[in-house]
């Protein structure tokens, strides 16, 4: 069975500083990896995904994520945090190659990012 | 382009009742997925529909069911409600193929069971 872990419930950074939100995964096979963000009382918004190719993936709002196969990690990063980045971030995995996989994602528990002015 | 629309946004039910939630996907999206979000269990996959067929189902009891119509709109139903069913129910639509996994979520239906 596949699983995703986000080891930090909360990450606090100062505005302008770099941020990292950690994610590790456990799957059999090559995963599709995703990051989503959730603002208060809203649904989730897609940020970026990794399928194959370059290990550094760029996404929306200046976010990027680095895929590391040996460490089974997919950490979300941003060079300079904004107060408006404060939200709940979810890492997710989908295992391709199964005809019926469809859009069934397994999500991590979420990490609350707080960016202070 | 209109986003994913979920109705109702908020509802309160009592134990034993049933509830039906509705989801209208983005135009052109044929895949509709449902997720349950709770503080304790996080985001859990309920089921996915594609072209009116259930393609995947999560580990939820049979009280949870769904369907998809020919216009891709979807409904989910929960019968014999329990207190533990209180949650935010999120619907997401998606294109198939290479965009698989890129889900567009609605704002959710928040269900409170008393």
């Amino acid at each position: 069975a596949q699983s995703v872990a986000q080891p930090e419930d909360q990450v606090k950074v100062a505005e302008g500083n770099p941020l990292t939100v950690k994610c590790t995964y456990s799957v059999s096979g090559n995963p599709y990896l995703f990051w989503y963000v959730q603002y208060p009382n809203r649904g989730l918004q897609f940020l970026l995904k990794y399928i194959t190719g370059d290990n550094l993936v760029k996404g929306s709002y200046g976010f990027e994520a680095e895929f590391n196969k040996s460490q089974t990690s997919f950490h979300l990063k941003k060079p300079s945090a904004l107060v408006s980045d404060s939200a709940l971030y979810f890492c997710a995995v989908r295992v391709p190659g199964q005809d019926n996989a469809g859009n069934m994602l397994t999500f991590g528990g979420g990490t609350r990012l707080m960016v202070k002015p | 382009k209109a986003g994913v629309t979920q109705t109702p946004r908020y509802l309160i039910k009592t134990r034993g009742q049933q509830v039906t939630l509705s989801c209208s996907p983005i135009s052109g999206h044929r895949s509709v997925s449902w997720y349950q979000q709770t503080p304790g269990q996080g985001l859990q996959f309920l089921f996915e529909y594609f072209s009116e067929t259930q393609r995947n189902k999560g580990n939820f009891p049979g009280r949870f069911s769904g369907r998809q119509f020919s216009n891709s709109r979807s409904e989910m139903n929960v019968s014999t409600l329990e207190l533990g069913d209180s949650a935010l129910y999120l619907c997401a639509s998606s294109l198939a193929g290479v965009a698989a996994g890129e889900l567009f979520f609605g704002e959710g239906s928040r269900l409170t069971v008393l």
Side-chain angles (χ1 to χ4, degrees):
Chain A
Q2 58 202 44
S3 65
V4 178
Q6 293 180 242
E8 302 156 317
D9 290 336
Q10 186 171 275
V11 169
K12 294 181 181 179
V13 298
E15 188 174 33
N17 282 1
L19 69 86
T20 299
V21 182
K22 296 179 181 178
C23 171
T24 59
Y25 64 90
S26 174
V27 300
S28 55
N30 295 317
Y32 288 7
L33 294 160
F34 304 84
W35 276 101
Y36 283 83
V37 59
Q38 186 176 34
Y39 297 99
N41 300 314
R42 304 295 298 274
L44 279 69
Q45 294 179 30
F46 170 80
L47 276 178
L48 51 81
K49 72 176 179 183
Y50 172 83
I51 297 177
T52 187
D54 193 349
N55 289 343
L56 186 64
V57 179
K58 294 190 183 296
S60 306
Y61 312 121
F63 284 93
E64 56 190 26
E66 186 170 12
F67 172 67
N68 188 316
K69 188 172 184 178
S70 62
Q71 296 186 2
T72 61
S73 67
F74 189 56
H75 300 332
L76 181 69
K77 300 181 180 184
K78 187 173 183 181
S80 178
L82 299 172
V83 172
S84 57
D85 292 330
S86 298
L88 191 55
Y89 290 81
F90 291 95
C91 182
V93 64
R94 170 183 175 268
V95 179
Q98 301 167 18
D99 290 345
N100 290 325
N103 285 310
M104 184 172 67
L105 300 185
T106 299
F107 285 87
T111 298
R112 187 164 300 281
L113 174 66
M114 297 176 62
V115 181
K116 304 212 168 185
Chain B
K1 204 175 199 180
V4 177
T5 304
Q6 291 189 246
T7 57
R9 290 290 314 279
Y10 302 91
L11 64 166
I12 299 174
K13 294 285 187 179
T14 57
R15 281 180 297 174
Q17 288 187 310
Q18 73 167 17
V19 65
T20 299
L21 309 178
S22 180
C23 172
S24 294
I26 291 172
S27 178
H29 287 191
R30 294 165 61 193
S31 168
V32 174
S33 306
W34 288 89
Y35 288 81
Q36 181 195 64
Q37 185 176 23
T38 61
Q41 299 298 317
L43 278 159
Q44 292 187 286
F45 173 79
L46 280 158
F47 26 65
E48 179 196 5
Y49 288 87
F50 182 81
S51 294
E52 302 178 66
T53 301
Q54 188 179 85
R55 183 153 68 174
N56 286 292
K57 190 178 192 312
N59 189 25
F60 278 82
R63 300 185 296 107
F64 292 81
S65 63
R67 59 178 175 169
Q68 186 179 34
F69 302 96
S70 58
N71 61 358
S72 293
R73 190 177 69 85
S74 177
E75 290 181 347
M76 66 163 284
N77 184 277
V78 187
S79 62
T80 320
L81 284 166
E82 301 177 358
L83 295 178
D85 297 333
S86 294
L88 180 66
Y89 290 87
L90 293 166
C91 169
S93 73
S94 178
L95 295 167
V98 294
E102 290 183 40
L103 304 181
F104 293 80
F105 283 84
E107 297 193 337
S109 293
R110 185 167 296 280
L111 170 65
T112 301
V113 182
L114 303 176

